[in-house]
């Protein structure tokens, strides 16, 4: 067998070499000498180098870097039903939002409700079956469209709704023990439903909102007052009664330092804005890509957008944020109709794509060199996802080599399923320094006023190694320290390893504390908001009568018989 294989191989190589060298005589396998074989191997190597093949390592360095990647074996590990959140009445809304937000303390999920809008706030470790009567945050009169946790305060969450308002809520440490109906702040600057909200990545208390009134506003939620009617910046707004399609946003994404804002609009183009002035810096002109979601790729100086092609194939496209004239990379994925949500991990340079209504999550690895992106594998599930939440890096289990964690909303099962992305390692239980570099922490780099004055700062980094603390390079002012102490005095930490009797006692104490907390922070003399009307004196070029107002306690609508009797009363009196 070995001699026959050698004869065939030697005969093929010898025949080819004889043709290349111009020899007309036919050589047989038994007549091939060692010197002849060495010449043949050397000629093959030189020919491969001249043709730019695999042997040319300098020109194909991107292949070798991807091949030796430590993330090529990442796999998804779904949690068991006992470690999930079962019985959550997930919203039936049709907006292309995540409907979920997570941090190391809480999980927030937008829920279906009979009247008004509400969302659940669950402690992150209280898994299992959720009580159907669990208290909710239910201060909106319209459906809640999205929720976002403050990246620098794990007990502060923002919500936007169809009632044209954005609300800022404070969640006590042990969670919501009774229905919360009064927010710390109510932002009233929009006259149509608010579809998008996004916190600034480096500045404290700076929130962006976008609504169907074609306005994009920036708010400083640290300003005094329970009701804020004037934003600190108007990024986009209609001019001379015109409502351009580029002002109705589908998605927003800040750069890592917050100096640039990438958006996709109803006209399905990608734009890069200056969020301080609203000036448009770049606009995409590609006719082969209709963008729906956009994401800044931090560290690689790229933008990624997901959308569809003219043939309705789902696409991913990479852009240079300084030049959107043509894409750097473009790839068609499949013919499904669900919107693709992109998620990026700047520490591992991994990209995750999850489609609305899909059961799978694809993950890729990105690079600064061509072809820029490499498919790794995908996690498949039979249950479709309606939305997804993502745990910040500081909330991951580093002892299990967890590099990413999703919270999949499975509406058909009323289930929230945690899905962990794991890097397999032989030695588990120890900190893997190569998997966890310094990452963005929960400390702000500056205040909202500093950012508005033109200062740009990178995120404050932290180490995920247990017991390691990194000093903040931007020290806090005395006023900021005082505010943190005031907020922390209203909250208490609960030991997770308490007994049942101690837990009952602490829950009773917490209920009393929460009532006192609500009374102290929201005095009873706060004026009612039912008669609120927007003040348009600051925007003379755009006037519109809002179709909604702040929720108020009103009697139910009258029936036709009651209306007829009411109309007859003035006639009898006359």
């Amino acid at each position: 067998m070995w001699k026959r294989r050698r004869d065939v191989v030697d005969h093929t190589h010898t025949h080819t070499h004889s043709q290349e060298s111009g020899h007309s005589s036919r050589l047989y396998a038994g007549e091939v000498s060692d010197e002849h074989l060495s010449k043949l191997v050397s000629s093959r190597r030189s020919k491969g180098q001249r043709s730019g093949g695999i042997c040319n390592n300098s020109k194909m360095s991107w292949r070798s870097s991807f091949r030796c990647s430590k993330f090529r074996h990442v796999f998804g590990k779904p949690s068991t039903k006992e470690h999930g959140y079962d019985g959550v009445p997930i919203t039936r809304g049709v907006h292309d939002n995540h409907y979920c937000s997570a941090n190391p303390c809480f999980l927030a999920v937008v829920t279906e409700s009979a009247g008004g809008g509400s969302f659940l706030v669950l402690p992150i470790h209280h898994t299992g079956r959720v009580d159907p009567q669990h208290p909710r945050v239910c201060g909106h009169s319209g459906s809640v469209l999205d929720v976002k946790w403050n990246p620098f305060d794990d007990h502060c969450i923002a919500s936007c709704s169809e009632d044209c308002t954005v609300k800022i809520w404070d969640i006590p440490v042990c969670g919501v023990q009774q229905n919360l109906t009064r927010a710390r702040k109510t932002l009233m600057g929009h006259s149509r439903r608010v579809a998008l909200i996004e916190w600034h990545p480096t500045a404290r208390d700076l929130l962006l909102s976008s609504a169907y009134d074609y306005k994009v506003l920036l708010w400083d939620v640290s300003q005094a007052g329970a009701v804020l009617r004037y934003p600190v910046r108007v990024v986009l707004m209609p001019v001379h009664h015109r409502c351009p399609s580029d002002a109705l946003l589908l998605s927003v994404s800040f750069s890592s330092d917050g100096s640039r804002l990438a958006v996709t609009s109803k006209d399905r183009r990608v734009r890069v804005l200056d969020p301080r002035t609203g000036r448009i810096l770049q606009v995409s002109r590609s006719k082969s890509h209709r963008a729906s979601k956009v994401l800044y790729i931090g560290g690689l100086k790229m933008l990624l957008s997901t959308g569809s092609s003219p043939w309705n194939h789902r696409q991913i496209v990479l852009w240079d944020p300084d030049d959107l004239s043509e894409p750097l990379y473009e790839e068609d994925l499949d013919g499904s109709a669900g919107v693709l949500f992109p998620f990026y991990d700047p520490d591992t340079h991994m990209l995750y794509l999850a489609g609305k209504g899909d059961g799978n999550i694809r993950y890729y690895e990105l690079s600064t060199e061509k072809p820029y992106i490499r498919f790794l594998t995908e996690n498949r599930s039979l249950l479709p996802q309606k939305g997804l939440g993502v745990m910040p890096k500081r909330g991951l289990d580093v002892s299990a080599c967890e590099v990413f964690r999703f919270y999949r909303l499975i509406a058909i099962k009323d289930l929230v399923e945690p899905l962990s992305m794991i890097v397999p390692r032989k030695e588990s239980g120890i900190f893997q320094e190569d998997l966890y570099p310094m990452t963005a922490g929960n400390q702000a780099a500056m205040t909202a006023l500093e950012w508005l004055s033109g200062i740009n700062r990178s995120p404050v980094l932290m180490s995920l190694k247990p017991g390691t603390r990194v000093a903040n390079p931007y020290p806090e002012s005395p006023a900021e320290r005082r505010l943190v102490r005031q907020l922390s005095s209203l909250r208490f930490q609960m030991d997770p390893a308490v007994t049942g009797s101690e837990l009952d006692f602490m829950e009773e104490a917490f209920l009393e504390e929460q009532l006192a907390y609500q009374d102290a922070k929201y005095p009873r003399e706060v004026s009612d908001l039912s008669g609120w009307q927007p003040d348009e004196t600051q925007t003379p070029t755009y006037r519109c009568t809002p179709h909604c107002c702040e929720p108020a306690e009103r009697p139910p609508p009258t029936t036709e018989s009651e209306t007829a009797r009411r109309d007859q009363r003035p006639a009898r009196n006359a």
Side-chain angles (χ1 to χ4, degrees), residues 433-452:
E433 295 185 1
D434 61 325
L435 298 181
Y436 304 103
M438 298 285 287
T439 187
N442 58 345
Q443 297 186 37
M446 54 188 163
T447 63
L449 295 178
E450 290 175 337
W451 182 84
L452 292 171

Side-chain angles (χ1 to χ4, degrees), residues 100-309:
C100 179
S101 186
N103 66 25
C105 297
F106 298 106
L107 175 69
V109 181
V110 180
T111 59
E112 189 73 12
S113 55
S118 63
F119 60 95
L120 275 175
V121 176
L122 304 172
I124 201 69
H125 297 295
H126 289 191
T127 56
R129 184 74 180 178
V130 177
D131 187 358
Q133 304 300 323
H134 192 283
R136 305 184 189 185
V137 182
C138 50
H140 285 285
S141 63
S143 299
V144 177
L145 300 182
D146 207 2
V147 290
K148 291 289 177 65
W149 288 104
N150 190 332
F152 310 118
D153 187 352
D154 289 341
H155 303 273
C156 176
I157 189 171
S159 61
C160 61
S161 170
E162 289 186 348
D163 63 5
C164 316
T165 64
V166 178
K167 292 180 181 290
I168 311 298
W169 308 86
D170 278 332
I171 306 300
V173 174
C174 290
V176 179
Q177 302 294 323
Q178 62 177 0
N179 289 337
L180 289 182
T181 59
R182 188 174 297 176
R184 172 162 62 96
K185 300 283 183 183
T186 300
L187 314 181
M188 293 181 165
H190 294 286
S191 56
R192 293 292 184 270
R193 62 181 182 269
V194 186
L196 298 174
I197 51 175
E198 190 71 28
W199 291 96
H200 195 276
T202 58
R204 181 184 292 108
D205 297 326
L206 200 60
L207 180 68
L208 180 139
S209 64
S210 173
Y212 278 76
D213 59 358
Y214 299 90
K215 289 183 181 179
V216 181
L217 308 178
L218 271 175
W219 304 86
D220 181 4
V221 300
S222 64
Q223 293 179 339
V227 179
L228 301 181
R229 298 177 181 174
Y230 304 109
V232 293
R233 286 289 186 275
V234 178
V235 182
L236 293 175
M237 66 175 295
V239 179
H240 302 299
H241 301 273
R242 292 183 302 173
C243 300
S245 59
D246 58 351
L248 184 57
L249 303 188
L250 302 180
S251 69
V252 297
S253 176
F254 279 101
S255 59
S256 59
D257 62 352
S259 62
R260 292 291 181 265
L261 180 69
V263 302
T264 55
S265 309
K266 189 178 179 181
D267 61 359
R268 310 303 293 272
R269 292 184 178 181
V270 179
R271 288 173 173 83
V272 176
L273 311 176
D274 183 351
R276 294 186 178 93
T277 63
R279 188 166 68 94
I280 299 177
L281 304 178
Q282 291 287 329
V283 182
S284 65
R285 303 295 181 183
S286 176
K287 296 183 179 180
S288 62
H289 177 67
R290 296 179 295 177
S292 58
K293 299 294 180 181
V294 68
L295 185 66
Y296 254 101
I297 305 299
L300 300 183
K301 296 182 180 179
M302 288 191 293
L303 280 175
L304 181 133
S305 65
T306 63
S308 60
S309 68

Side-chain angles (χ1 to χ4, degrees), residues 273-465:
L273 311 176
D274 183 351
R276 294 186 178 93
T277 63
R279 188 166 68 94
I280 299 177
L281 304 178
Q282 291 287 329
V283 182
S284 65
R285 303 295 181 183
S286 176
K287 296 183 179 180
S288 62
H289 177 67
R290 296 179 295 177
S292 58
K293 299 294 180 181
V294 68
L295 185 66
Y296 254 101
I297 305 299
L300 300 183
K301 296 182 180 179
M302 288 191 293
L303 280 175
L304 181 133
S305 65
T306 63
S308 60
S309 68
W311 301 273
N312 291 329
H313 292 170
R314 293 197 295 190
Q315 285 182 328
I316 55 174
V317 176
L318 290 174
W319 308 86
D320 180 1
D322 297 328
D323 183 12
L324 298 182
S325 59
E326 60 181 9
L328 298 175
Y329 176 85
E330 189 174 6
E331 180 182 350
D332 291 353
L333 297 180
D334 53 39
S336 300
V339 174
L340 279 175
F341 296 115
F343 303 90
Y344 179 67
D345 182 5
D347 300 333
T348 61
H349 300 301
M350 289 186 63
L351 170 70
Y352 302 88
L353 296 179
K356 182 178 180 180
D358 295 353
N360 62 331
I361 298 178
R362 302 178 176 93
Y363 26 108
Y364 303 77
E365 190 170 9
L366 301 184
S367 173
T368 56
E369 302 177 359
K370 292 183 179 180
Y372 304 114
I373 186 169
R374 179 199 180 216
F375 175 74
L376 295 177
T377 183
E378 66 178 357
N379 178 80
R380 296 184 179 183
S381 173
L382 298 177
L383 301 176
Q385 60 228 359
K386 184 179 182 63
L388 300 104
V390 174
M391 174 64 70
K393 294 299 288 288
R394 53 192 174 88
L396 300 180
D397 185 4
V398 297
S399 62
C401 299
E402 183 183 26
V403 294
F404 214 78
R405 187 191 304 168
F406 290 101
Y407 288 87
R408 300 177 62 235
L409 302 187
I410 304 174
I412 61 175
K413 294 288 187 179
D414 289 339
L415 175 67
V416 180
E417 179 190 62
L419 176 65
S420 299
M421 298 299 173
I422 306 294
V423 178
R425 288 293 173 91
K426 293 181 179 179
E427 297 182 4
S428 60
I430 63 175
F431 183 75
Q432 306 285 341
E433 295 185 1
D434 61 325
L435 298 181
Y436 304 103
M438 298 285 287
T439 187
N442 58 345
Q443 297 186 37
M446 54 188 163
T447 63
L449 295 178
E450 290 175 337
W451 182 84
L452 292 171
S453 65
I455 300 176
N456 293 324
R457 290 176 180 172
S458 299
V460 179
L461 302 181
M462 64 174 294
S463 174
L464 298 181
K465 187 175 183 179

